[in-house]
Amino acid sequence: MLLAHGFGCDQAMWRAVVPSFSVDHRVVTFDHVGCGSSDVGAYDPRRYASLDGYADDVVAICRELGLSDVVLVGHSVSAMIGVLAVRRAPELFGALVMVGPSPRYVDDDGYTGGFSRSDIAGLLDSLDSDPDLWSAALAPVVAGPGNPEVAAELQQSFCRTDPGVARQFARVTFLSDNRADLPAVTVPTLVLQCTDDTIAPEPVGRYVHAHVPGSVFHQLAATGHCPHLSAPEETAAAIRAFLSRT
């Protein structure tokens, strides 16, 4: 089982669900380049100018460690990184779990992403002008209602991310459009949708479910965008239930 964290986070965000799976899986966590304790010197703006560079990293990790039949669990933007990784090397993966996925954050004709283009422009401008204020404002939105401890942890994590990496990764994340990649997913897939998720609202999760062939949709009672932090037991149970049927 390979756990891939979302934007502004690091592998420590999975700590509450790892014990649930380490009893019968080899569990691998990692930091995307430029995040957490990764080597910031390895960050190449050209490689990571799109999500493809991150997907290549996921495939490289699997091959370097000799992993097979991998359950790839991707949170937020890493759900789409997972989609791209599975397309690149389907022979490596046995299942895909998408936690709070969004193939496009910006609304489009006939598509609800949750944000207008001006919303995203304002978010990116605020990150450029005052990263600390941006972190303080965004963390509670990502955490969702009733999750102050999660918000505090997210704010600290956002602040630890290299500012240059954060600016580019934010643009790559919030301006990406991976809708056309969804129908190409060929492994069993679980879409985990949170309640009151401002970052990836329910219509987005429903869209992902409708466009990934044979996928399973599961609505969590957990609120916000980080159920592995706010409700790890519920999150782990939903993943386990899906794997037992796969």
Side-chain angles (χ1 to χ4, degrees), residues 82-84 86-87 96 98 181-189 211-214:
V83 167
L84 296 175
V86 169
R87 288 198 65 180
L96 176 62
M98 296 194 276
D181 297 302
L182 298 177
V185 176
T186 56
V187 299
T189 300
H211 288 80
V212 174

Side-chain angles (χ1 to χ4, degrees), residues 191-223:
V191 178
L192 279 184
Q193 176 65 46
C194 293
T195 300
D196 292 332
D197 186 348
T198 300
I199 303 299
E202 185 174 341
V204 178
R206 295 284 182 185
Y207 179 94
V208 173
H209 168 50
H211 288 80
V212 174
S215 63
V216 174
F217 181 91
H218 182 84
Q219 177 89 46
L220 295 168
T223 58

Side-chain angles (χ1 to χ4, degrees), residues 4 19-20 25 34-35 44 63 71 121 139 160 211 215-216:
S20 298
H25 289 77
C35 302
D44 181 348
R63 289 178 171 155
V71 178
R160 286 196 301 269
H211 288 80
S215 63
V216 174

